Amino acid sequence: MTYRILANCVVGLGFSRRGFDAGLAARPDLVGCDAGSADFGPAPLGSGSDPKSETAVLRDLRLMVAGSADVGAPLVIGSCGGAGDDPHLGRYVDYVDRICRELGTRRRVAVIHARQDKAAVRQAVRRGGTSPLGAIPPLAVADVDSSAAIVAMMGATPIGDALAGGADIVLAGRAVDPAIFAAGPMLHGLPAGVSWHAAKSVDKGYLACVDPSDGSPVLAELDADGFTLTPTKPSSRCTVQSVARITMHENPDPYRIAQPEGEIDTEHCVYQQLDDGRSVRVTGSEFRAAGTIRVKLEGARFVGHRKVAIIGLRDPRLLADLDGFLAEFQAKLARSVDSLGIERSSWSLRWRQYGRNAVLGAAEPMRDVPPREVGLVLDVVADTAQTAELVLRKAGPIGSRLDRLGNLGGGGNFAYPFSPNILDGGQAYEWSIWHLMDAPDGVAPFATEFVDLGVGR
């Protein structure tokens, strides 16, 4: 009993057409691809936008919709549109319908919604069915109420139900990445340990390869004892190191990887480089079912309108006491804005000092090394776009002319790389929910509908 999965990385990031065609020639049983991430922050969820371009998304979808139909394999896309909320799903339904009409085909599509009803989440909070994911406060009803959008990350169960229901294409809302690929082989009767670990190994497509820039899709061939990973682009390679690396990707524990339905256990796995030098065989994978299925909730809250200015600082006298300069700069700016009758509670300012501890912050091990230059990002979020711009229009002249030592000259502290020097950051959002919620059957938080897309719809 074998099962073949052809996996790409992320819809819209591209992949090798040559490699994808070679993967189709191997007659996969399932074609899959992730389409989302929280890496872009809360704005895609809060605003309903997709961080990837429509042109790039349509290119990848066309190839996968056509290719999966040619070989008679279902296509599974998870976390549609970036954040996997209803607006993102609706956009992908429209894309697939357009593509199917272009191809002159008709496909049965399962649309799995990840959007959460606020009343249901409030009820979960009140009965103690939620818990923080990390060192953050417990979820409060006020967090639910203030959220612009809330999604839950589905596991493999809803996707498996959609495949069992005869879906040619599954368009899933927010989902854990391995669930996209694990549902098919488990439905086929393969062990959960093999299915989940193989899915984790291919859920980033070409990141399982030695050189991800090759853009090679990856083919996983599963059987009852283990799985084999092979890049489908002839010039690409998988090695023991590259496959073990992707298994540990984005996980605090190198051996145990939490999923909604349980835990992938790789502690006793054996990774073997095969004689072709391009393929890796993995055995010994286990899966431990959870006592209670828990899904991750993601919520985004609107916090205001953002305006940004980027400023270059190079004066060594100023950089020698940059903290003192910024403290005085902020105090003078606040007093200046106060003089216009604008409440301080209506705006906020954050500094980002690129070239000086901007990435690691307090964890920077070389904090005392003076920089030669700093790129100062002024990030203003305010109740209105007009207030945010007003604050930055005040900030420029105040900071540029600020002479703390009496010998800076005044008027030349700042260098602007852009003109106009105020950039529009649009609506700003923050994470309001980053918690787990009990979901005993793994299905209840996710509603599935079947639609026929393409010709004859």
Side-chain angles (χ1 to χ4, degrees):
M1 182 188 298
T2 60
Y3 191 93
R4 293 182 179 90
I5 300 171
L6 179 58
N8 288 315
C9 186
V10 177
V11 180
L13 295 189
F15 52 83
S16 166
R17 170 68 182 270
R18 180 185 176 195
F20 186 64
D21 288 344
L24 293 175
R27 309 301 294 184
D29 298 288
L30 182 141
V31 178
C33 193
D34 183 26
S37 173
D39 292 353
F40 298 99
L45 176 58
S47 65
S49 61
D50 190 333
K52 296 174 291 299
S53 76
E54 180 176 300
T55 299
V57 167
L58 283 171
R59 180 266 184 189
D60 290 357
L61 283 178
R62 281 191 184 98
L63 291 176
M64 289 188 286
V65 170
S68 62
D70 287 345
V71 297
L75 170 65
V76 180
I77 306 292
S79 296
C80 286
D85 193 15
D86 279 355
H88 309 89
L89 271 177
R91 200 172 296 125
Y92 269 52
V93 169
D94 289 343
Y95 291 160
V96 171
D97 185 50
R98 187 191 316 177
I99 292 166
C100 288
R101 290 178 183 275
E102 292 172 359
L103 297 173
T105 187
R106 185 168 176 266
R107 307 288 277 165
R108 182 165 171 77
V109 178
V111 182
I112 310 177
H113 298 267
R115 169 173 281 195
Q116 299 302 294
D117 177 67
K118 287 187 177 182
V121 179
R122 289 189 204 100
Q123 187 178 18
V125 171
R126 290 177 178 132
R127 69 167 182 266
T130 61
S131 57
L133 189 57
I136 58 176
L139 185 59
V141 169
D143 298 321
V144 179
D145 293 341
S146 64
S147 297
I150 305 171
V151 292
M153 294 184 73
M154 69 187 75
T157 307
I159 296 172
D161 289 349
L163 292 172
D168 300 314
I169 299 174
V170 177
L171 298 178
R174 194 71 170 108
V176 296
D177 299 347
I180 300 165
F181 308 95
M186 287 193 293
L187 192 65
H188 192 64
L190 288 171
V194 173
S195 300
W196 275 105
H197 191 185
K200 179 65 183 75
S201 300
V202 301
D203 70 13
K204 292 293 186 292
Y206 43 66
L207 290 190
C209 301
V210 172
D211 185 0
S213 65
D214 280 350
S216 177
V218 177
L219 186 73
E221 183 168 349
L222 294 69
D223 56 52
D225 299 318
F227 62 94
T228 300
L229 251 59
T230 305
T232 59
K233 189 175 180 181
S235 60
S236 298
R237 295 186 303 126
C238 285
T239 63
V240 167
Q241 183 182 34
S242 71
V243 175
R245 178 183 64 204
I246 196 62
T247 298
M248 293 185 285
H249 181 66
E250 297 181 332
N251 290 287
D253 189 310
Y255 298 124
R256 291 166 185 84
I257 306 160
Q259 302 297 312
E261 290 95 343
E263 183 179 78
I264 306 170
D265 187 343
T266 66
E267 186 169 4
H268 302 292
C269 283
V270 175
Y271 299 79
Q272 178 187 2
Q273 189 75 51
L274 299 188
D275 291 340
D276 65 2
R278 305 178 57 245
S279 304
V280 173
R281 173 75 174 167
V282 182
T283 56
S285 311
E286 298 179 9
F287 188 79
R288 307 188 191 286
T292 300
I293 295 175
R294 298 194 298 171
V295 296
K296 179 191 175 191
L297 296 177
E298 294 175 350
R301 173 168 48 224
F302 174 74
V303 293
H305 299 267
R306 170 171 278 125
K307 298 285 183 177
V308 176
I310 301 174
I311 297 165
L313 306 177
R314 193 171 171 85
D315 191 315
R317 297 165 298 177
L318 187 154
L319 295 177
D321 184 25
L322 186 54
D323 288 335
F325 172 82
L326 294 179
E328 186 170 342
F329 179 11
Q330 184 149 11
K332 287 181 177 292
L333 175 61
R335 290 195 297 270
S336 179
V337 176
D338 287 346
S339 71
L340 299 176
I342 296 173
E343 296 289 336
R344 292 196 183 186
S345 61
S346 70
W347 63 278
S348 65
L349 169 65
R350 288 196 299 177
W351 316 102
R352 300 185 187 277
Q353 304 168 52
Y354 287 96
R356 183 178 183 265
N357 314 330
V359 176
L360 294 183
E364 171 58 55
M366 301 177 67
R367 291 180 60 83
D368 297 329
V369 177
R372 290 187 300 112
E373 61 184 17
V374 167
L376 184 64
V377 178
L378 276 66
D379 176 10
V380 175
V381 175
D383 290 349
T384 67
Q386 291 79 9
T387 297
E389 182 155 342
L390 179 150
V391 171
L392 279 181
R393 288 190 183 280
K394 281 284 187 182
I398 289 172
S400 187
R401 297 168 184 167
L402 179 57
D403 183 0
R404 300 183 64 242
L405 305 178
N407 61 0
L408 294 183
N413 294 337
F414 290 172
Y416 294 103
F418 303 116
S419 178
N421 58 23
I422 296 176
L423 309 178
D424 185 5
Q427 294 184 333
Y429 293 84
E430 66 181 9
W431 293 115
S432 53
I433 301 176
W434 198 262
H435 296 72
L436 298 175
M437 180 178 72
D438 294 347
D441 64 357
V443 176
F446 310 101
T448 299
E449 60 176 321
F450 285 87
V451 294
D452 292 323
L453 301 183
V455 174
R457 181 182 179 189

